[in-house]
Amino acid sequence: MGKRSLRLLNREYAAKILFIISASAAIIAVGLICVFLFLQGLPAMWDMGIIRFLTGTDWRPTWDPPRFGILPMIVGSLYVTAGAILFGVPIGIFAAVFMAKFCPRPIYVILKPAINLLAGIPSVVYGYFGMVVLVPFVRENFGGNGNSIFTASILLGMMILPTIITISENAIRAIPPEIYEGAIALGASHERATFKVVLPAAKSGVMASVILGIGRAVGETMAVRMVAGNQAILRMPHEFLSGARTLTANVVIELGYAYGEHRAALIATGVVLFVFVMIINALFSILKKKESA
Amino acid sequence: MEITNKFLINDVNLWYSDFQALNNINMDIPEHMITAFIGPSGCGKSTLIKSLNRMNDLVEGCKITGSILLDGENIYGDIDVNALRKRVGMVFQKPNPFPMSIYDNIAYGPRTHGIKSKFVLNEIVEKSLQDAAIWDETKDRLKKSALSLSGGQQQRLCIARALSVQPDVLLMDEPTSALDPISTGKIEELVLQLKKDYTIVIVTHNMQQATRISDNTGFFLLGELIEYGETQQIFSIPQDKRCEDYITGRFG
Ligand SMILES: Nc1ncnc2c1ncn2[C@@H]1O[C@H](COP(=O)(O)OP(=O)(O)OP(=O)(O)O)[C@@H](O)[C@H]1O
Ligand SMILES: [Mg+2]
């Protein structure tokens, strides 16, 4: 073997090691989070009684004895996430179709970076926007004090838009033009070919974008906390103009001063959140697998 | 039998931006016959066939002059393009079934043109699949994805899909080039069957195919129609040297 090829081999070897280290760093990070969360959270959950913890409707850390039931927060998270889907998914999908199939070039070159920018805005800025614009808007037009499930849903719906638009647009663009042309050649209009053939053909990608959006909505903390009212009270669906607290808000609001059992209950809240996110990711990878099959 | 012309192509020039792809084409395409377009790659066969149902409208920067009359009406005049494409169906080089069920593939066209009755749709689906000689292979799996069919079956499905809107004309751009000899044979047989009811224009690179199925053949070169006439004539005593060279396999 020549000197040159030996050097090449060495370089390849070095690159390989670098890749392995980088990949392991990510895995180790996930692993550490998992271990830490479950080690600290699960025993506490066990002590409190998992069922009681999950289905308890009272969150009273200051009572004696304290009560740690996180059902209001689980339900709160479900409400704002469902609301975000209600607002964000239809708008996001229509926007994606528009971007991929209807948007004139000059508008596209403005819209595309704008959507990318939307994705990069820090959530505290969204929260601020929610506080100064959405909260008064909801208060004046729908009633209540404005800090509500409804307000948080709208805000979250906005926040998941870039995820849904970008991924759905890519999915729509990935459909071979022959499919579209086949529909056009049958005498279908551009609209009909797009909505009845191309969009259904892209459905697994569109679903994936929705699931990623849901993941973002479930995990969102700061913005939600700033507009949701944060009452740890179990709400019924018709109370959508009242405030509610999400799992994420529960942790971030109280973790700063909590200790002992209270602190453990908050970490257990994190465990529940983590499980939620894992379920969502599992759904996502199942869809991905279906797509490639 | 008197021959009526389905298409009259008059002085057609076509440009893709600055590039002229068709050069003064004049051609009559007779009804209920099979017309084949042959010629070396890039000579404009696909371009011309796509002009017949205005699929070239989808190409940005495509410009056409001259006229193409379908049953006496200029399809580049003030007409409903979707209605034109309903009358002039198309089968593509690569089978392009929609990623949905076999049934929905066929029902899409009629639904597009306003047919809602389940009963009528069922009939159309069955008839189209039968006419495309694929009913027996699909009748027990209509709800299955069209992508589960073989390439040859997919192409026959695409033919059935084209037939579902009851066109007058069937344009086929190298419909068998992606298929094995057996599937190709089936499709050729089918095309001969369909001739009774449809005017067929077919692009092919396969000289045997052109002689086996077509009544008339046009030979193209660099965007020009070099020679056009009865297939037998063209293949036995070609008038043009370049045409002779091409069909005898000396170039192309
Ligand atoms: N969308 C397009 N934009 C620009 N030029 C094009 C386009 N489509 C075709 N052309 C050009 O027009 C000419 C004719 O193309 P066409 O596809 O009609 O050829 P063809 O005879 O069908 O060839 P083949 O046998 O390879 O299918 C070619 O030179 C091609 O490069
Ligand atoms: Mg071609």
Side-chain angles (χ1 to χ4, degrees), chain A residues 178-189 192-193 196-197 201 203, chain B residues 55 58 82 85-86 90 92 96-100 108 111-113 161-162:
Chain A
E178 293 83 33
I179 301 281
Y180 168 80
E181 285 165 15
I184 292 292
L186 285 167
S189 62
R192 194 176 157 85
K196 293 283 181 166
V197 174
K203 70 167 179 286
Chain B
M55 287 302 279
L58 304 183
N82 295 334
R85 293 188 184 130
K86 178 178 180 297
M90 184 163 219
F92 296 76
N96 61 345
F98 304 141
M100 46 177 91
Y108 179 82
R111 279 176 181 144
T112 297
H113 298 289
R161 191 175 67 189

PDB file of all heavy atoms in Angstrom, chain A residues 178-189 192-193 196-197 201 203, chain B residues 55 58 82 85-86 90 92 96-100 108 111-113 161-162:
ATOM      1  N   GLU A 178     -45.923  13.333 -12.910  1.00  0.00           N
ATOM      2  CA  GLU A 178     -46.721  12.459 -13.781  1.00  0.00           C
ATOM      3  C   GLU A 178     -48.106  12.195 -13.179  1.00  0.00           C
ATOM      4  O   GLU A 178     -49.077  12.001 -13.899  1.00  0.00           O
ATOM      5  CB  GLU A 178     -46.034  11.106 -13.997  1.00  0.00           C
ATOM      6  CG  GLU A 178     -44.748  11.161 -14.795  1.00  0.00           C
ATOM      7  CD  GLU A 178     -43.561  11.528 -13.936  1.00  0.00           C
ATOM      8  OE1 GLU A 178     -43.548  11.142 -12.751  1.00  0.00           O
ATOM      9  OE2 GLU A 178     -42.656  12.222 -14.431  1.00  0.00           O
ATOM     10  N   ILE A 179     -48.141  12.121 -11.846  1.00  0.00           N
ATOM     11  CA  ILE A 179     -49.418  11.857 -11.179  1.00  0.00           C
ATOM     12  C   ILE A 179     -50.374  13.023 -11.434  1.00  0.00           C
ATOM     13  O   ILE A 179     -51.531  12.834 -11.811  1.00  0.00           O
ATOM     14  CB  ILE A 179     -49.179  11.703  -9.657  1.00  0.00           C
ATOM     15  CG1 ILE A 179     -48.213  10.557  -9.379  1.00  0.00           C
ATOM     16  CG2 ILE A 179     -50.490  11.524  -8.923  1.00  0.00           C
ATOM     17  CD1 ILE A 179     -48.822   9.214  -9.453  1.00  0.00           C
ATOM     18  N   TYR A 180     -49.842  14.211 -11.248  1.00  0.00           N
ATOM     19  CA  TYR A 180     -50.641  15.409 -11.498  1.00  0.00           C
ATOM     20  C   TYR A 180     -51.063  15.478 -12.959  1.00  0.00           C
ATOM     21  O   TYR A 180     -52.234  15.719 -13.279  1.00  0.00           O
ATOM     22  CB  TYR A 180     -49.815  16.637 -11.097  1.00  0.00           C
ATOM     23  CG  TYR A 180     -50.384  17.954 -11.545  1.00  0.00           C
ATOM     24  CD1 TYR A 180     -51.420  18.558 -10.850  1.00  0.00           C
ATOM     25  CD2 TYR A 180     -49.872  18.604 -12.669  1.00  0.00           C
ATOM     26  CE1 TYR A 180     -51.943  19.769 -11.262  1.00  0.00           C
ATOM     27  CE2 TYR A 180     -50.384  19.812 -13.094  1.00  0.00           C
ATOM     28  CZ  TYR A 180     -51.418  20.399 -12.382  1.00  0.00           C
ATOM     29  OH  TYR A 180     -51.940  21.589 -12.803  1.00  0.00           O
ATOM     30  N   GLU A 181     -50.127  15.218 -13.850  1.00  0.00           N
ATOM     31  CA  GLU A 181     -50.437  15.277 -15.280  1.00  0.00           C
ATOM     32  C   GLU A 181     -51.492  14.251 -15.671  1.00  0.00           C
ATOM     33  O   GLU A 181     -52.342  14.516 -16.531  1.00  0.00           O
ATOM     34  CB  GLU A 181     -49.158  15.064 -16.108  1.00  0.00           C
ATOM     35  CG  GLU A 181     -48.267  16.289 -16.114  1.00  0.00           C
ATOM     36  CD  GLU A 181     -46.851  15.994 -16.607  1.00  0.00           C
ATOM     37  OE1 GLU A 181     -46.647  14.917 -17.207  1.00  0.00           O
ATOM     38  OE2 GLU A 181     -45.962  16.834 -16.386  1.00  0.00           O
ATOM     39  N   GLY A 182     -51.445  13.088 -15.021  1.00  0.00           N
ATOM     40  CA  GLY A 182     -52.453  12.073 -15.294  1.00  0.00           C
ATOM     41  C   GLY A 182     -53.848  12.594 -15.012  1.00  0.00           C
ATOM     42  O   GLY A 182     -54.788  12.321 -15.765  1.00  0.00           O
ATOM     43  N   ALA A 183     -53.977  13.343 -13.935  1.00  0.00           N
ATOM     44  CA  ALA A 183     -55.292  13.905 -13.588  1.00  0.00           C
ATOM     45  C   ALA A 183     -55.687  14.999 -14.580  1.00  0.00           C
ATOM     46  O   ALA A 183     -56.830  15.050 -15.043  1.00  0.00           O
ATOM     47  CB  ALA A 183     -55.272  14.448 -12.168  1.00  0.00           C
ATOM     48  N   ILE A 184     -54.731  15.850 -14.919  1.00  0.00           N
ATOM     49  CA  ILE A 184     -55.015  16.934 -15.870  1.00  0.00           C
ATOM     50  C   ILE A 184     -55.448  16.350 -17.221  1.00  0.00           C
ATOM     51  O   ILE A 184     -56.373  16.832 -17.857  1.00  0.00           O
ATOM     52  CB  ILE A 184     -53.757  17.811 -16.055  1.00  0.00           C
ATOM     53  CG1 ILE A 184     -53.449  18.574 -14.770  1.00  0.00           C
ATOM     54  CG2 ILE A 184     -53.922  18.776 -17.225  1.00  0.00           C
ATOM     55  CD1 ILE A 184     -54.457  19.642 -14.418  1.00  0.00           C
ATOM     56  N   ALA A 185     -54.769  15.272 -17.622  1.00  0.00           N
ATOM     57  CA  ALA A 185     -55.063  14.676 -18.924  1.00  0.00           C
ATOM     58  C   ALA A 185     -56.461  14.065 -18.977  1.00  0.00           C
ATOM     59  O   ALA A 185     -56.962  13.757 -20.051  1.00  0.00           O
ATOM     60  CB  ALA A 185     -54.017  13.617 -19.260  1.00  0.00           C
ATOM     61  N   LEU A 186     -57.079  13.862 -17.805  1.00  0.00           N
ATOM     62  CA  LEU A 186     -58.453  13.355 -17.794  1.00  0.00           C
ATOM     63  C   LEU A 186     -59.466  14.488 -17.855  1.00  0.00           C
ATOM     64  O   LEU A 186     -60.668  14.263 -17.810  1.00  0.00           O
ATOM     65  CB  LEU A 186     -58.702  12.541 -16.526  1.00  0.00           C
ATOM     66  CG  LEU A 186     -58.077  11.154 -16.503  1.00  0.00           C
ATOM     67  CD1 LEU A 186     -58.106  10.582 -15.096  1.00  0.00           C
ATOM     68  CD2 LEU A 186     -58.809  10.223 -17.452  1.00  0.00           C
ATOM     69  N   GLY A 187     -58.956  15.707 -17.919  1.00  0.00           N
ATOM     70  CA  GLY A 187     -59.862  16.852 -17.993  1.00  0.00           C
ATOM     71  C   GLY A 187     -60.137  17.474 -16.637  1.00  0.00           C
ATOM     72  O   GLY A 187     -61.066  18.255 -16.487  1.00  0.00           O
ATOM     73  N   ALA A 188     -59.335  17.109 -15.624  1.00  0.00           N
ATOM     74  CA  ALA A 188     -59.529  17.722 -14.308  1.00  0.00           C
ATOM     75  C   ALA A 188     -58.929  19.128 -14.308  1.00  0.00           C
ATOM     76  O   ALA A 188     -57.942  19.385 -14.987  1.00  0.00           O
ATOM     77  CB  ALA A 188     -58.857  16.879 -13.239  1.00  0.00           C
ATOM     78  N   SER A 189     -59.551  20.015 -13.530  1.00  0.00           N
ATOM     79  CA  SER A 189     -58.983  21.352 -13.385  1.00  0.00           C
ATOM     80  C   SER A 189     -57.754  21.272 -12.485  1.00  0.00           C
ATOM     81  O   SER A 189     -57.532  20.272 -11.800  1.00  0.00           O
ATOM     82  CB  SER A 189     -60.016  22.283 -12.749  1.00  0.00           C
ATOM     83  OG  SER A 189     -60.337  21.810 -11.459  1.00  0.00           O
ATOM     84  N   ARG A 192     -58.849  20.633  -8.917  1.00  0.00           N
ATOM     85  CA  ARG A 192     -59.311  19.278  -8.643  1.00  0.00           C
ATOM     86  C   ARG A 192     -58.152  18.277  -8.651  1.00  0.00           C
ATOM     87  O   ARG A 192     -58.075  17.395  -7.807  1.00  0.00           O
ATOM     88  CB  ARG A 192     -60.370  18.866  -9.667  1.00  0.00           C
ATOM     89  CG  ARG A 192     -61.104  17.633  -9.234  1.00  0.00           C
ATOM     90  CD  ARG A 192     -62.213  17.237 -10.161  1.00  0.00           C
ATOM     91  NE  ARG A 192     -62.461  15.815  -9.977  1.00  0.00           N
ATOM     92  CZ  ARG A 192     -63.257  15.318  -9.041  1.00  0.00           C
ATOM     93  NH1 ARG A 192     -63.911  16.114  -8.237  1.00  0.00           N
ATOM     94  NH2 ARG A 192     -63.388  14.010  -8.893  1.00  0.00           N
ATOM     95  N   ALA A 193     -57.253  18.445  -9.615  1.00  0.00           N
ATOM     96  CA  ALA A 193     -56.094  17.556  -9.662  1.00  0.00           C
ATOM     97  C   ALA A 193     -55.275  17.706  -8.380  1.00  0.00           C
ATOM     98  O   ALA A 193     -54.792  16.730  -7.815  1.00  0.00           O
ATOM     99  CB  ALA A 193     -55.239  17.872 -10.885  1.00  0.00           C
ATOM    100  N   LYS A 196     -57.670  16.486  -5.141  1.00  0.00           N
ATOM    101  CA  LYS A 196     -58.194  15.125  -5.130  1.00  0.00           C
ATOM    102  C   LYS A 196     -57.149  14.072  -5.487  1.00  0.00           C
ATOM    103  O   LYS A 196     -57.370  12.890  -5.261  1.00  0.00           O
ATOM    104  CB  LYS A 196     -59.370  15.017  -6.111  1.00  0.00           C
ATOM    105  CG  LYS A 196     -60.582  15.825  -5.694  1.00  0.00           C
ATOM    106  CD  LYS A 196     -61.336  15.105  -4.589  1.00  0.00           C
ATOM    107  CE  LYS A 196     -62.567  15.910  -4.197  1.00  0.00           C
ATOM    108  NZ  LYS A 196     -63.501  15.148  -3.387  1.00  0.00           N
ATOM    109  N   VAL A 197     -56.054  14.482  -6.079  1.00  0.00           N
ATOM    110  CA  VAL A 197     -55.047  13.481  -6.430  1.00  0.00           C
ATOM    111  C   VAL A 197     -53.719  13.763  -5.732  1.00  0.00           C
ATOM    112  O   VAL A 197     -53.195  12.921  -5.017  1.00  0.00           O
ATOM    113  CB  VAL A 197     -54.830  13.403  -7.960  1.00  0.00           C
ATOM    114  CG1 VAL A 197     -53.682  12.468  -8.287  1.00  0.00           C
ATOM    115  CG2 VAL A 197     -56.092  12.923  -8.641  1.00  0.00           C
ATOM    116  N   ALA A 201     -52.228  11.921  -2.343  1.00  0.00           N
ATOM    117  CA  ALA A 201     -50.997  11.151  -2.567  1.00  0.00           C
ATOM    118  C   ALA A 201     -49.929  11.526  -1.548  1.00  0.00           C
ATOM    119  O   ALA A 201     -49.075  10.725  -1.199  1.00  0.00           O
ATOM    120  CB  ALA A 201     -50.484  11.388  -3.988  1.00  0.00           C
ATOM    121  N   LYS A 203     -50.473  12.232   1.562  1.00  0.00           N
ATOM    122  CA  LYS A 203     -51.092  12.268   2.883  1.00  0.00           C
ATOM    123  C   LYS A 203     -50.192  11.776   4.012  1.00  0.00           C
ATOM    124  O   LYS A 203     -50.259  12.299   5.111  1.00  0.00           O
ATOM    125  CB  LYS A 203     -52.445  11.561   2.896  1.00  0.00           C
ATOM    126  CG  LYS A 203     -52.429  10.069   2.746  1.00  0.00           C
ATOM    127  CD  LYS A 203     -53.824   9.519   3.105  1.00  0.00           C
ATOM    128  CE  LYS A 203     -53.894   8.035   2.947  1.00  0.00           C
ATOM    129  NZ  LYS A 203     -53.940   7.602   1.529  1.00  0.00           N
TER     130      LYS A 203
ATOM    131  N   MET B  55     -51.431  19.390 -23.487  1.00  0.00           N
ATOM    132  CA  MET B  55     -50.659  19.170 -22.271  1.00  0.00           C
ATOM    133  C   MET B  55     -49.435  20.083 -22.256  1.00  0.00           C
ATOM    134  O   MET B  55     -48.834  20.319 -21.210  1.00  0.00           O
ATOM    135  CB  MET B  55     -50.225  17.702 -22.155  1.00  0.00           C
ATOM    136  CG  MET B  55     -51.330  16.745 -21.792  1.00  0.00           C
ATOM    137  SD  MET B  55     -52.161  17.119 -20.247  1.00  0.00           S
ATOM    138  CE  MET B  55     -51.007  16.421 -19.064  1.00  0.00           C
ATOM    139  N   LEU B  58     -48.899  23.101 -19.875  1.00  0.00           N
ATOM    140  CA  LEU B  58     -48.292  23.022 -18.544  1.00  0.00           C
ATOM    141  C   LEU B  58     -46.831  23.431 -18.562  1.00  0.00           C
ATOM    142  O   LEU B  58     -46.246  23.681 -17.513  1.00  0.00           O
ATOM    143  CB  LEU B  58     -48.396  21.601 -17.980  1.00  0.00           C
ATOM    144  CG  LEU B  58     -49.779  20.959 -17.863  1.00  0.00           C
ATOM    145  CD1 LEU B  58     -49.661  19.587 -17.229  1.00  0.00           C
ATOM    146  CD2 LEU B  58     -50.704  21.833 -17.039  1.00  0.00           C
ATOM    147  N   ASN B  82     -60.432  21.733 -20.461  1.00  0.00           N
ATOM    148  CA  ASN B  82     -60.760  20.509 -19.722  1.00  0.00           C
ATOM    149  C   ASN B  82     -61.688  19.601 -20.533  1.00  0.00           C
ATOM    150  O   ASN B  82     -61.543  18.380 -20.521  1.00  0.00           O
ATOM    151  CB  ASN B  82     -61.390  20.848 -18.371  1.00  0.00           C
ATOM    152  CG  ASN B  82     -60.403  21.562 -17.463  1.00  0.00           C
ATOM    153  OD1 ASN B  82     -59.187  21.396 -17.603  1.00  0.00           O
ATOM    154  ND2 ASN B  82     -60.909  22.375 -16.558  1.00  0.00           N
ATOM    155  N   ARG B  85     -59.595  17.836 -23.090  1.00  0.00           N
ATOM    156  CA  ARG B  85     -58.819  16.710 -22.558  1.00  0.00           C
ATOM    157  C   ARG B  85     -59.721  15.530 -22.213  1.00  0.00           C
ATOM    158  O   ARG B  85     -59.257  14.393 -22.167  1.00  0.00           O
ATOM    159  CB  ARG B  85     -58.004  17.164 -21.346  1.00  0.00           C
ATOM    160  CG  ARG B  85     -56.925  18.161 -21.748  1.00  0.00           C
ATOM    161  CD  ARG B  85     -55.983  18.482 -20.613  1.00  0.00           C
ATOM    162  NE  ARG B  85     -55.032  19.507 -21.015  1.00  0.00           N
ATOM    163  CZ  ARG B  85     -54.767  20.603 -20.317  1.00  0.00           C
ATOM    164  NH1 ARG B  85     -55.364  20.804 -19.154  1.00  0.00           N
ATOM    165  NH2 ARG B  85     -53.898  21.488 -20.762  1.00  0.00           N
ATOM    166  N   LYS B  86     -60.980  15.810 -21.967  1.00  0.00           N
ATOM    167  CA  LYS B  86     -61.933  14.710 -21.784  1.00  0.00           C
ATOM    168  C   LYS B  86     -62.130  13.978 -23.113  1.00  0.00           C
ATOM    169  O   LYS B  86     -62.222  12.761 -23.157  1.00  0.00           O
ATOM    170  CB  LYS B  86     -63.253  15.264 -21.262  1.00  0.00           C
ATOM    171  CG  LYS B  86     -64.339  14.210 -21.088  1.00  0.00           C
ATOM    172  CD  LYS B  86     -65.595  14.842 -20.525  1.00  0.00           C
ATOM    173  CE  LYS B  86     -66.715  13.841 -20.329  1.00  0.00           C
ATOM    174  NZ  LYS B  86     -67.181  13.222 -21.568  1.00  0.00           N
ATOM    175  N   MET B  90     -55.180  10.445 -22.785  1.00  0.00           N
ATOM    176  CA  MET B  90     -53.740  10.255 -22.959  1.00  0.00           C
ATOM    177  C   MET B  90     -53.224   9.129 -22.064  1.00  0.00           C
ATOM    178  O   MET B  90     -53.615   9.010 -20.902  1.00  0.00           O
ATOM    179  CB  MET B  90     -53.027  11.562 -22.626  1.00  0.00           C
ATOM    180  CG  MET B  90     -51.533  11.501 -22.864  1.00  0.00           C
ATOM    181  SD  MET B  90     -50.848  13.163 -22.931  1.00  0.00           S
ATOM    182  CE  MET B  90     -49.659  12.957 -24.233  1.00  0.00           C
ATOM    183  N   PHE B  92     -49.500   7.642 -20.793  1.00  0.00           N
ATOM    184  CA  PHE B  92     -48.125   8.140 -20.713  1.00  0.00           C
ATOM    185  C   PHE B  92     -47.110   7.014 -20.874  1.00  0.00           C
ATOM    186  O   PHE B  92     -47.448   5.831 -20.799  1.00  0.00           O
ATOM    187  CB  PHE B  92     -47.909   8.848 -19.389  1.00  0.00           C
ATOM    188  CG  PHE B  92     -48.752  10.085 -19.229  1.00  0.00           C
ATOM    189  CD1 PHE B  92     -50.115  10.000 -18.941  1.00  0.00           C
ATOM    190  CD2 PHE B  92     -48.196  11.344 -19.372  1.00  0.00           C
ATOM    191  CE1 PHE B  92     -50.889  11.138 -18.804  1.00  0.00           C
ATOM    192  CE2 PHE B  92     -48.966  12.494 -19.237  1.00  0.00           C
ATOM    193  CZ  PHE B  92     -50.313  12.389 -18.951  1.00  0.00           C
ATOM    194  N   ASN B  96     -48.681   5.700 -14.815  1.00  0.00           N
ATOM    195  CA  ASN B  96     -48.781   6.656 -13.712  1.00  0.00           C
ATOM    196  C   ASN B  96     -50.111   6.539 -12.982  1.00  0.00           C
ATOM    197  O   ASN B  96     -50.867   7.498 -12.886  1.00  0.00           O
ATOM    198  CB  ASN B  96     -48.580   8.090 -14.226  1.00  0.00           C
ATOM    199  CG  ASN B  96     -49.631   8.477 -15.257  1.00  0.00           C
ATOM    200  OD1 ASN B  96     -50.334   7.619 -15.786  1.00  0.00           O
ATOM    201  ND2 ASN B  96     -49.758   9.755 -15.535  1.00  0.00           N
ATOM    202  N   PRO B  97     -50.404   5.346 -12.453  1.00  0.00           N
ATOM    203  CA  PRO B  97     -51.640   5.217 -11.679  1.00  0.00           C
ATOM    204  C   PRO B  97     -51.598   6.148 -10.474  1.00  0.00           C
ATOM    205  O   PRO B  97     -50.519   6.435  -9.955  1.00  0.00           O
ATOM    206  CB  PRO B  97     -51.627   3.753 -11.224  1.00  0.00           C
ATOM    207  CG  PRO B  97     -50.200   3.343 -11.266  1.00  0.00           C
ATOM    208  CD  PRO B  97     -49.580   4.124 -12.380  1.00  0.00           C
ATOM    209  N   PHE B  98     -52.759   6.638 -10.071  1.00  0.00           N
ATOM    210  CA  PHE B  98     -52.814   7.438  -8.846  1.00  0.00           C
ATOM    211  C   PHE B  98     -52.612   6.503  -7.658  1.00  0.00           C
ATOM    212  O   PHE B  98     -53.063   5.361  -7.691  1.00  0.00           O
ATOM    213  CB  PHE B  98     -54.176   8.120  -8.704  1.00  0.00           C
ATOM    214  CG  PHE B  98     -54.558   8.975  -9.879  1.00  0.00           C
ATOM    215  CD1 PHE B  98     -55.868   8.995 -10.346  1.00  0.00           C
ATOM    216  CD2 PHE B  98     -53.619   9.772 -10.512  1.00  0.00           C
ATOM    217  CE1 PHE B  98     -56.244   9.787 -11.426  1.00  0.00           C
ATOM    218  CE2 PHE B  98     -53.982  10.566 -11.600  1.00  0.00           C
ATOM    219  CZ  PHE B  98     -55.290  10.572 -12.055  1.00  0.00           C
ATOM    220  N   PRO B  99     -51.942   6.978  -6.620  1.00  0.00           N
ATOM    221  CA  PRO B  99     -51.761   6.123  -5.440  1.00  0.00           C
ATOM    222  C   PRO B  99     -53.057   5.994  -4.645  1.00  0.00           C
ATOM    223  O   PRO B  99     -53.154   6.515  -3.533  1.00  0.00           O
ATOM    224  CB  PRO B  99     -50.651   6.830  -4.643  1.00  0.00           C
ATOM    225  CG  PRO B  99     -50.672   8.238  -5.113  1.00  0.00           C
ATOM    226  CD  PRO B  99     -51.234   8.249  -6.503  1.00  0.00           C
ATOM    227  N   MET B 100     -54.032   5.366  -5.240  1.00  0.00           N
ATOM    228  CA  MET B 100     -55.289   5.093  -4.545  1.00  0.00           C
ATOM    229  C   MET B 100     -55.810   3.761  -5.065  1.00  0.00           C
ATOM    230  O   MET B 100     -55.097   3.084  -5.819  1.00  0.00           O
ATOM    231  CB  MET B 100     -56.280   6.238  -4.787  1.00  0.00           C
ATOM    232  CG  MET B 100     -56.379   6.692  -6.228  1.00  0.00           C
ATOM    233  SD  MET B 100     -57.590   7.975  -6.544  1.00  0.00           S
ATOM    234  CE  MET B 100     -56.693   9.482  -6.352  1.00  0.00           C
ATOM    235  N   TYR B 108     -62.155   8.274 -10.858  1.00  0.00           N
ATOM    236  CA  TYR B 108     -61.751   9.680 -10.749  1.00  0.00           C
ATOM    237  C   TYR B 108     -62.214  10.522 -11.938  1.00  0.00           C
ATOM    238  O   TYR B 108     -62.758  11.610 -11.767  1.00  0.00           O
ATOM    239  CB  TYR B 108     -60.225   9.777 -10.606  1.00  0.00           C
ATOM    240  CG  TYR B 108     -59.732  11.205 -10.522  1.00  0.00           C
ATOM    241  CD1 TYR B 108     -59.761  11.902  -9.326  1.00  0.00           C
ATOM    242  CD2 TYR B 108     -59.262  11.875 -11.656  1.00  0.00           C
ATOM    243  CE1 TYR B 108     -59.345  13.216  -9.254  1.00  0.00           C
ATOM    244  CE2 TYR B 108     -58.841  13.187 -11.595  1.00  0.00           C
ATOM    245  CZ  TYR B 108     -58.867  13.849 -10.379  1.00  0.00           C
ATOM    246  OH  TYR B 108     -58.456  15.161 -10.315  1.00  0.00           O
ATOM    247  N   ARG B 111     -66.036  11.007 -12.069  1.00  0.00           N
ATOM    248  CA  ARG B 111     -66.399  11.890 -10.945  1.00  0.00           C
ATOM    249  C   ARG B 111     -66.043  13.331 -11.278  1.00  0.00           C
ATOM    250  O   ARG B 111     -66.786  14.257 -10.984  1.00  0.00           O
ATOM    251  CB  ARG B 111     -65.666  11.469  -9.669  1.00  0.00           C
ATOM    252  CG  ARG B 111     -66.318  10.304  -8.953  1.00  0.00           C
ATOM    253  CD  ARG B 111     -65.477   9.888  -7.747  1.00  0.00           C
ATOM    254  NE  ARG B 111     -66.053   8.763  -7.036  1.00  0.00           N
ATOM    255  CZ  ARG B 111     -65.342   7.799  -6.471  1.00  0.00           C
ATOM    256  NH1 ARG B 111     -64.017   7.823  -6.528  1.00  0.00           N
ATOM    257  NH2 ARG B 111     -65.935   6.815  -5.839  1.00  0.00           N
ATOM    258  N   THR B 112     -64.865  13.491 -11.901  1.00  0.00           N
ATOM    259  CA  THR B 112     -64.438  14.832 -12.287  1.00  0.00           C
ATOM    260  C   THR B 112     -65.461  15.496 -13.189  1.00  0.00           C
ATOM    261  O   THR B 112     -65.695  16.699 -13.097  1.00  0.00           O
ATOM    262  CB  THR B 112     -63.089  14.750 -13.033  1.00  0.00           C
ATOM    263  OG1 THR B 112     -62.114  14.221 -12.133  1.00  0.00           O
ATOM    264  CG2 THR B 112     -62.635  16.107 -13.532  1.00  0.00           C
ATOM    265  N   HIS B 113     -66.086  14.679 -14.028  1.00  0.00           N
ATOM    266  CA  HIS B 113     -67.047  15.254 -14.963  1.00  0.00           C
ATOM    267  C   HIS B 113     -68.478  15.123 -14.466  1.00  0.00           C
ATOM    268  O   HIS B 113     -69.428  15.084 -15.241  1.00  0.00           O
ATOM    269  CB  HIS B 113     -66.839  14.641 -16.348  1.00  0.00           C
ATOM    270  CG  HIS B 113     -65.470  14.944 -16.880  1.00  0.00           C
ATOM    271  ND1 HIS B 113     -65.099  16.203 -17.288  1.00  0.00           N
ATOM    272  CD2 HIS B 113     -64.342  14.182 -16.988  1.00  0.00           C
ATOM    273  CE1 HIS B 113     -63.822  16.193 -17.659  1.00  0.00           C
ATOM    274  NE2 HIS B 113     -63.340  14.985 -17.481  1.00  0.00           N
ATOM    275  N   ARG B 161     -58.312   3.904 -17.352  1.00  0.00           N
ATOM    276  CA  ARG B 161     -58.602   5.212 -16.764  1.00  0.00           C
ATOM    277  C   ARG B 161     -58.864   6.246 -17.858  1.00  0.00           C
ATOM    278  O   ARG B 161     -59.770   7.066 -17.745  1.00  0.00           O
ATOM    279  CB  ARG B 161     -57.415   5.653 -15.901  1.00  0.00           C
ATOM    280  CG  ARG B 161     -57.686   6.854 -15.048  1.00  0.00           C
ATOM    281  CD  ARG B 161     -56.503   7.145 -14.148  1.00  0.00           C
ATOM    282  NE  ARG B 161     -55.341   7.578 -14.919  1.00  0.00           N
ATOM    283  CZ  ARG B 161     -54.117   7.738 -14.391  1.00  0.00           C
ATOM    284  NH1 ARG B 161     -53.919   7.476 -13.119  1.00  0.00           N
ATOM    285  NH2 ARG B 161     -53.134   8.133 -15.155  1.00  0.00           N
ATOM    286  N   ALA B 162     -58.069   6.158 -18.932  1.00  0.00           N
ATOM    287  CA  ALA B 162     -58.272   7.092 -20.036  1.00  0.00           C
ATOM    288  C   ALA B 162     -59.622   6.831 -20.714  1.00  0.00           C
ATOM    289  O   ALA B 162     -60.305   7.756 -21.138  1.00  0.00           O
ATOM    290  CB  ALA B 162     -57.136   6.971 -21.041  1.00  0.00           C
TER     291      ALA B 162
END
